[in-house]
Amino acid sequence: MTAPVFVTDPGHLTAAPGERVTLSGPEGRHAVSVRRLHAGEEVVLTDGEGTAVVGTVTAVEGKDRLEVTVARRVEEPPPAPRITVVQALPKGDRGELAVETMTEAGVDAIVPWAASRCVTQWKAERGAKALAKWRATAREAGKQARRLRFPDVADLMTTRQVADLLSGAAFAGVLHEEGSAPLASAPLPERGEIVLVVGPEGGVAPEELAAFEAAGAGAYRLGPTVLRTSTAGVAATALLLGRTGRWS
C-alpha cells in the first residue's frame, strides 16, 4: 500500500534528507489517533501544490504529534494539459460527491457554476459554507487519492464568467446529450488548458449553450447514456486523462 499523505507547513518541505520535521495539529491527530501510525511507517507530507517530502515516522507523541525523518524531497511538475471542469450546482450533497470523485480521478480545477436551471442556489452565508465544503472535500479527497497537487476550487461563477474562461482555453467543450460529436474523438491539445462544462440536472439552457458556443466551446456527448450531473464530470475527467496520456 502506498504511504498516506498529510498536509504540512510549507517550511517543512525544505528539510534535507536526514532532518526531522514534526506533524502536529489536526493533521497530526489524524495520523496518530485515526490512522494509528507507528514508528517505522512511511508517510508523505505535502503542501497540496506539488511539493512533498517522503519520510519515516521516527516517534509518536501523545494523540496528535509525530516526528518524521525525511528521506527525500519530491517536486511534481504542473500537469499538461490542465483539466478544468465547470460543475453546475447539484442538489443536496451531490456537489461534494462530484468534487470527491473528480478529485480522486485527477481533475486539476473545479469551477462551481450558477446555471439558470440549478435548483440549488448559493447565496450569502449559505453560499460561503457550501464553497468551503467543496474546498474541504477536494483537500480530503486529494489526500485519500495520494495526490501531491490538490485541485483548485474556484469561487462561484456566473454564465458570463464561465464563457470568459472558455474563451481562453486550448480546448473548450460542453457536455450535452444532443451534442453532434463524441468527446471520445474530439481533438485535444497537448498543452494548455482543457475546460469542460457539466450542466445541471435540467440541462444547459439554450441561451447558455449559445453563449458558450460563441466563446468557442463545442457541444459534445459523453456516451449513449445520460449521466447525472454529479457523475458526468468524473466520467469525462477519466476519459480526458486517458486520451491525453496522463493515465498512461
Side-chain angles (χ1 to χ4, degrees), residues 8-36:
T8 191
D9 186 317
H12 291 162
L13 302 179
T14 60
E19 293 183 341
R20 287 191 178 189
V21 297
T22 301
L23 185 67
S24 58
E27 290 292 277
R29 185 175 302 109
H30 184 73
V32 176
S33 299
V34 179
R35 294 300 301 266
R36 299 185 181 280

Side-chain angles (χ1 to χ4, degrees), residues 81-85 107 171 175 183-184 186 188-189 194-196 222 233-247:
R82 177 180 166 89
I83 298 173
T84 294
V85 172
V107 76
F171 173 88
L175 290 184
L183 185 63
L188 300 177
I194 295 172
V195 180
L196 195 65
L222 190 54
V234 66
T237 296
L239 174 62
L240 293 172
L241 287 167
R243 290 201 56 215
T244 57
R246 287 180 51 186
W247 267 8

Side-chain angles (χ1 to χ4, degrees), residues 174-183 209 213 218-223:
V174 181
L175 290 184
H176 198 283
E177 60 185 290
E178 297 179 1
S180 59
L183 185 63
L209 190 60
E213 289 179 341
Y220 295 91
R221 64 180 184 276
L222 190 54

Side-chain angles (χ1 to χ4, degrees), residues 20 56 80 85 125 152 172 226 230:
R20 287 191 178 189
T56 302
V85 172
E125 184 178 351
D152 299 319
V226 178
S230 55

Side-chain angles (χ1 to χ4, degrees):
M1 181 178 293
T2 55
V5 172
F6 300 95
V7 179
T8 191
D9 186 317
H12 291 162
L13 302 179
T14 60
E19 293 183 341
R20 287 191 178 189
V21 297
T22 301
L23 185 67
S24 58
E27 290 292 277
R29 185 175 302 109
H30 184 73
V32 176
S33 299
V34 179
R35 294 300 301 266
R36 299 185 181 280
L37 297 181
H38 297 90
E41 294 188 78
E42 189 177 67
V43 296
V44 177
L45 308 181
T46 183
D47 58 0
E49 298 180 1
T51 301
V53 291
V54 180
T56 302
V57 176
T58 305
V60 176
E61 302 175 9
K63 297 181 179 180
D64 62 356
R65 183 182 178 92
L66 52 78
E67 298 288 329
V68 177
T69 299
V70 174
R72 65 184 186 279
R73 191 168 184 267
V74 179
E75 287 281 355
E76 184 178 280
R82 177 180 166 89
I83 298 173
T84 294
V85 172
V86 176
Q87 175 67 59
L89 304 180
K91 295 182 291 185
D93 61 359
R94 287 189 170 273
E96 288 98 89
L97 173 63
V99 171
E100 179 180 55
T101 54
M102 285 192 287
T103 298
E104 291 175 355
V107 76
D108 302 302
I110 300 168
V111 178
W113 170 40
S116 64
R117 292 178 177 174
C118 285
V119 174
T120 298
Q121 296 295 324
W122 284 5
K123 295 182 179 179
E125 184 178 351
R126 177 184 177 185
K129 287 182 178 180
L131 179 59
K133 282 185 178 180
W134 279 35
R135 287 173 171 163
T137 298
R139 171 186 165 112
E140 293 307 310
K143 290 161 54 180
Q144 176 66 33
R146 311 294 199 266
R147 291 183 60 166
L148 301 187
R149 285 185 180 273
F150 302 162
D152 299 319
V153 179
D155 291 339
L156 181 68
M157 286 193 183
T158 64
T159 296
R160 173 45 54 196
Q161 290 171 320
V162 171
D164 290 341
L165 178 66
L166 292 168
S167 67
F171 173 88
V174 181
L175 290 184
H176 198 283
E177 60 185 290
E178 297 179 1
S180 59
L183 185 63
S185 60
L188 300 177
E190 295 183 1
R191 298 287 173 182
E193 184 173 25
I194 295 172
V195 180
L196 195 65
V197 177
V198 176
E201 296 290 358
V204 180
E207 60 273 18
E208 293 168 336
L209 190 60
F212 295 158
E213 289 179 341
Y220 295 91
R221 64 180 184 276
L222 190 54
T225 60
V226 178
L227 301 181
R228 299 197 68 165
T229 184
S230 55
T231 54
V234 66
T237 296
L239 174 62
L240 293 172
L241 287 167
R243 290 201 56 215
T244 57
R246 287 180 51 186
W247 267 8
S248 62

